[in-house]
PDB file of all heavy atoms in Angstrom:
ATOM      1  N   ARG A  64     -95.336  -8.575  -5.300  1.00 97.00           N
ATOM      2  CA  ARG A  64     -95.753  -7.351  -4.487  1.00 97.00           C
ATOM      3  C   ARG A  64     -96.656  -6.332  -5.303  1.00 97.00           C
ATOM      4  O   ARG A  64     -97.525  -5.820  -4.869  1.00 97.00           O
ATOM      5  CB  ARG A  64     -94.491  -6.736  -3.867  1.00 97.00           C
ATOM      6  CG  ARG A  64     -93.759  -7.583  -2.945  1.00 97.00           C
ATOM      7  CD  ARG A  64     -92.553  -6.886  -2.290  1.00 97.00           C
ATOM      8  NE  ARG A  64     -92.920  -5.809  -1.407  1.00 97.00           N
ATOM      9  CZ  ARG A  64     -92.147  -4.912  -0.841  1.00 97.00           C
ATOM     10  NH1 ARG A  64     -90.833  -4.939  -1.257  1.00 97.00           N
ATOM     11  NH2 ARG A  64     -92.552  -4.080   0.121  1.00 97.00           N
ATOM     12  N   ARG A  65     -96.285  -6.215  -6.584  1.00 97.00           N
ATOM     13  CA  ARG A  65     -96.961  -5.255  -7.442  1.00 97.00           C
ATOM     14  C   ARG A  65     -98.369  -5.786  -7.613  1.00 97.00           C
ATOM     15  O   ARG A  65     -99.389  -5.001  -7.474  1.00 97.00           O
ATOM     16  CB  ARG A  65     -96.255  -5.205  -8.936  1.00 97.00           C
ATOM     17  CG  ARG A  65     -95.063  -4.411  -8.908  1.00 97.00           C
ATOM     18  CD  ARG A  65     -94.164  -4.813 -10.054  1.00 97.00           C
ATOM     19  NE  ARG A  65     -94.741  -4.515 -11.506  1.00 97.00           N
ATOM     20  CZ  ARG A  65     -94.383  -3.634 -12.282  1.00 97.00           C
ATOM     21  NH1 ARG A  65     -93.400  -2.825 -11.868  1.00 97.00           N
ATOM     22  NH2 ARG A  65     -94.783  -3.619 -13.530  1.00 97.00           N
ATOM     23  N   ARG A  66     -98.561  -7.079  -7.912  1.00 97.00           N
ATOM     24  CA  ARG A  66     -99.903  -7.626  -8.045  1.00 97.00           C
ATOM     25  C   ARG A  66    -100.775  -7.389  -6.738  1.00 97.00           C
ATOM     26  O   ARG A  66    -101.963  -7.012  -6.867  1.00 97.00           O
ATOM     27  CB  ARG A  66     -99.816  -9.168  -8.285  1.00 97.00           C
ATOM     28  CG  ARG A  66     -99.348  -9.460  -9.739  1.00 97.00           C
ATOM     29  CD  ARG A  66     -98.954 -11.002  -9.796  1.00 97.00           C
ATOM     30  NE  ARG A  66     -98.278 -11.267 -11.065  1.00 97.00           N
ATOM     31  CZ  ARG A  66     -98.906 -11.956 -12.041  1.00 97.00           C
ATOM     32  NH1 ARG A  66    -100.187 -12.387 -11.957  1.00 97.00           N
ATOM     33  NH2 ARG A  66     -98.207 -12.270 -13.097  1.00 97.00           N
ATOM     34  N   ALA A  67    -100.059  -7.558  -5.641  1.00 97.00           N
ATOM     35  CA  ALA A  67    -100.780  -7.473  -4.352  1.00 97.00           C
ATOM     36  C   ALA A  67    -101.243  -6.035  -4.186  1.00 97.00           C
ATOM     37  O   ALA A  67    -102.389  -5.779  -3.871  1.00 97.00           O
ATOM     38  CB  ALA A  67     -99.800  -7.983  -3.172  1.00 97.00           C
ATOM     39  N   VAL A  68    -100.335  -5.149  -4.492  1.00 98.00           N
ATOM     40  CA  VAL A  68    -100.799  -3.692  -4.372  1.00 98.00           C
ATOM     41  C   VAL A  68    -101.844  -3.274  -5.330  1.00 98.00           C
ATOM     42  O   VAL A  68    -102.732  -2.547  -4.975  1.00 98.00           O
ATOM     43  CB  VAL A  68     -99.436  -2.741  -4.647  1.00 98.00           C
ATOM     44  CG1 VAL A  68     -99.868  -1.269  -4.701  1.00 98.00           C
ATOM     45  CG2 VAL A  68     -98.501  -2.900  -3.436  1.00 98.00           C
ATOM     46  N   LEU A  69    -101.717  -3.832  -6.565  1.00 97.00           N
ATOM     47  CA  LEU A  69    -102.819  -3.462  -7.557  1.00 97.00           C
ATOM     48  C   LEU A  69    -104.169  -4.008  -7.048  1.00 97.00           C
ATOM     49  O   LEU A  69    -105.192  -3.432  -7.494  1.00 97.00           O
ATOM     50  CB  LEU A  69    -102.436  -4.054  -8.883  1.00 97.00           C
ATOM     51  CG  LEU A  69    -101.434  -3.337  -9.672  1.00 97.00           C
ATOM     52  CD1 LEU A  69    -101.105  -4.110 -10.971  1.00 97.00           C
ATOM     53  CD2 LEU A  69    -102.047  -1.965 -10.064  1.00 97.00           C
ATOM     54  N   ALA A  70    -104.250  -5.009  -6.173  1.00 97.00           N
ATOM     55  CA  ALA A  70    -105.489  -5.591  -5.819  1.00 97.00           C
ATOM     56  C   ALA A  70    -106.012  -4.819  -4.528  1.00 97.00           C
ATOM     57  O   ALA A  70    -107.085  -5.058  -3.953  1.00 97.00           O
ATOM     58  CB  ALA A  70    -105.301  -7.009  -5.414  1.00 97.00           C
ATOM     59  N   CYS A  71    -105.173  -3.722  -4.162  1.00 98.00           N
ATOM     60  CA  CYS A  71    -105.661  -2.862  -3.006  1.00 98.00           C
ATOM     61  C   CYS A  71    -106.055  -1.587  -3.448  1.00 98.00           C
ATOM     62  O   CYS A  71    -105.692  -1.009  -4.576  1.00 98.00           O
ATOM     63  CB  CYS A  71    -104.522  -2.776  -2.035  1.00 98.00           C
ATOM     64  SG  CYS A  71    -103.933  -4.317  -1.286  1.00 98.00           S
ATOM     65  N   ASP A  98     -95.375   1.909  -2.804  1.00 98.00           N
ATOM     66  CA  ASP A  98     -96.620   1.234  -3.316  1.00 98.00           C
ATOM     67  C   ASP A  98     -97.354   2.225  -4.293  1.00 98.00           C
ATOM     68  O   ASP A  98     -98.338   1.842  -4.949  1.00 98.00           O
ATOM     69  CB  ASP A  98     -97.605   0.802  -2.235  1.00 98.00           C
ATOM     70  CG  ASP A  98     -97.763   1.924  -1.134  1.00 98.00           C
ATOM     71  OD1 ASP A  98     -97.907   3.166  -1.515  1.00 98.00           O
ATOM     72  OD2 ASP A  98     -98.025   1.606   0.087  1.00 98.00           O
ATOM     73  N   ARG A 103    -102.128   7.312  -6.302  1.00 98.00           N
ATOM     74  CA  ARG A 103    -103.407   6.798  -6.661  1.00 98.00           C
ATOM     75  C   ARG A 103    -104.545   7.402  -6.032  1.00 98.00           C
ATOM     76  O   ARG A 103    -105.603   7.495  -6.549  1.00 98.00           O
ATOM     77  CB  ARG A 103    -103.505   5.216  -6.349  1.00 98.00           C
ATOM     78  CG  ARG A 103    -102.807   4.351  -7.496  1.00 98.00           C
ATOM     79  CD  ARG A 103    -102.786   2.900  -7.126  1.00 98.00           C
ATOM     80  NE  ARG A 103    -104.050   2.284  -6.931  1.00 98.00           N
ATOM     81  CZ  ARG A 103    -104.109   1.102  -6.544  1.00 98.00           C
ATOM     82  NH1 ARG A 103    -103.051   0.347  -6.158  1.00 98.00           N
ATOM     83  NH2 ARG A 103    -105.359   0.464  -6.397  1.00 98.00           N
ATOM     84  N   LEU A 116     -92.211   0.692  -6.582  1.00 97.00           N
ATOM     85  CA  LEU A 116     -92.529  -0.578  -7.265  1.00 97.00           C
ATOM     86  C   LEU A 116     -92.787  -0.500  -8.689  1.00 97.00           C
ATOM     87  O   LEU A 116     -92.658  -1.412  -9.463  1.00 97.00           O
ATOM     88  CB  LEU A 116     -93.687  -1.274  -6.528  1.00 97.00           C
ATOM     89  CG  LEU A 116     -93.491  -2.263  -5.412  1.00 97.00           C
ATOM     90  CD1 LEU A 116     -94.891  -2.606  -4.846  1.00 97.00           C
ATOM     91  CD2 LEU A 116     -92.762  -3.490  -5.847  1.00 97.00           C
ATOM     92  N   TRP A 117     -93.063   0.701  -9.211  1.00 97.00           N
ATOM     93  CA  TRP A 117     -93.609   0.965 -10.469  1.00 97.00           C
ATOM     94  C   TRP A 117     -92.511   1.538 -11.494  1.00 97.00           C
ATOM     95  O   TRP A 117     -92.768   2.084 -12.514  1.00 97.00           O
ATOM     96  CB  TRP A 117     -94.830   1.760 -10.561  1.00 97.00           C
ATOM     97  CG  TRP A 117     -95.784   1.321  -9.534  1.00 97.00           C
ATOM     98  CD1 TRP A 117     -96.123   1.835  -8.219  1.00 97.00           C
ATOM     99  CD2 TRP A 117     -96.427   0.136  -9.626  1.00 97.00           C
ATOM    100  NE1 TRP A 117     -96.951   1.178  -7.625  1.00 97.00           N
ATOM    101  CE2 TRP A 117     -97.307  -0.020  -8.390  1.00 97.00           C
ATOM    102  CE3 TRP A 117     -96.681  -0.819 -10.504  1.00 97.00           C
ATOM    103  CZ2 TRP A 117     -98.125  -1.133  -8.067  1.00 97.00           C
ATOM    104  CZ3 TRP A 117     -97.399  -2.042 -10.146  1.00 97.00           C
ATOM    105  CH2 TRP A 117     -98.147  -2.099  -9.057  1.00 97.00           C
TER     106      TRP A 117
END
Side-chain angles (χ1 to χ4, degrees):
R64 297 182 71 189
R65 284 155 64 112
R66 288 167 188 253
V68 168
L69 279 175
C71 298
D98 55 28
R103 275 173 65 186
L116 267 174
W117 310 107

